[in-house]
Amino acid sequence: MPESFRTVAGRGEARFEIRGSEFIGHVDRVDTVEAAEAFVDAVREEYDDATHNVPAYRVPAGDTSPDRVNEVMIREYQSDDGEPTGSSGKPALNVLQQREIRNVVAVVTRYYGGTNLGVGGLARAYSRAVKEAVDDAGVAEVQPRHRFTVTVDYDDSGTVRGLLEGADCEFDADYEAEVSFEVSVPVTESDELRDRIQSATSGRARVE
């Protein structure tokens, strides 16, 4: 049975200053390496005048389905982006590991203020930036979900809508020549809901 996992609830940001240097932490939820790299590139482009943009992320290494969400290895990546080795990227990644969150990307932007902070000072600053950005975003427990479409005639649409409204699912309805419901439901409840829809419509519903 697929297990839930912890990730950030959305985008978060944190800003503070230490001895003249400004630090800006950015985090967001991403589900692929490509999305993580795109987020890093976007922050670097937005803050291209910064002294450093330090990235770290924990995302699935390959394609994953809701049924196999915990079977795909997690790729962990970090870079010091010109800061002293081990002073920034690793502390940023450590926060994501310690908070036990995945499908997440972080970038810490630094504008150098003229005073060296030392490796220890940098590590504390980069850790703080990620921690506070994660706190700003919030942490959510995510249950893997199946998504499918249910198509029925108008005569069955009220029955199906009633079932969906009473189930632990999210759906959108599209009323055209037929009625289509785009359904998102936790993996653990997907088969039962499909069976109930088929039973209630005597097999007339098309579930894809």
Side-chain angles (χ1 to χ4, degrees), residues 26-86:
H26 320 264
V27 299
D28 203 359
R29 176 177 172 179
V30 290
D31 295 321
T32 64
V33 172
E34 292 75 18
E37 294 285 357
F39 181 86
V40 173
D41 289 343
V43 173
R44 283 179 168 159
E45 184 175 345
E46 182 176 355
Y47 296 90
D48 60 353
D49 59 338
T51 316
H52 306 280
N53 284 294
V54 170
Y57 57 74
R58 303 185 75 224
V59 296
D63 292 336
T64 181
S65 70
D67 304 283
R68 298 177 56 249
V69 70
N70 294 302
E71 297 176 19
V72 177
M73 285 182 57
I74 294 296
R75 180 179 178 190
E76 297 185 327
Y77 173 80
Q78 54 83 18
S79 167
D80 292 310
D81 192 41
E83 292 280 30
T85 301

Side-chain angles (χ1 to χ4, degrees), residues 11 20 25 38 41 45-46 50 56 63 84 110 112 122 124 137 140 142 157 163 168-169 184 195 202 208:
R11 185 155 185 167
D41 289 343
E45 184 175 345
E46 182 176 355
D63 292 336
R110 182 192 182 192
Y112 180 60
L122 288 172
R124 288 188 293 274
V142 175
S157 63
L163 277 174
D168 179 20
C169 72
S184 172
D195 289 344
S202 299
E208 301 168 332

Side-chain angles (χ1 to χ4, degrees), residues 4 21-22 50 52 59 62 91 114 125 175 180 192:
S4 60
S21 282
E22 182 183 8
H52 306 280
V59 296
Y175 291 84
S180 296
E192 180 186 355

Side-chain angles (χ1 to χ4, degrees), residues 122-153:
L122 288 172
R124 288 188 293 274
Y126 279 96
S127 295
R128 175 184 168 188
V130 176
K131 286 177 183 175
E132 293 187 3
V134 168
D135 289 342
D136 181 57
V139 174
E141 193 85 17
V142 175
Q143 172 69 48
R145 302 177 77 87
H146 274 158
R147 288 173 173 79
F148 57 86
T149 303
V150 181
T151 305
V152 292
D153 291 332

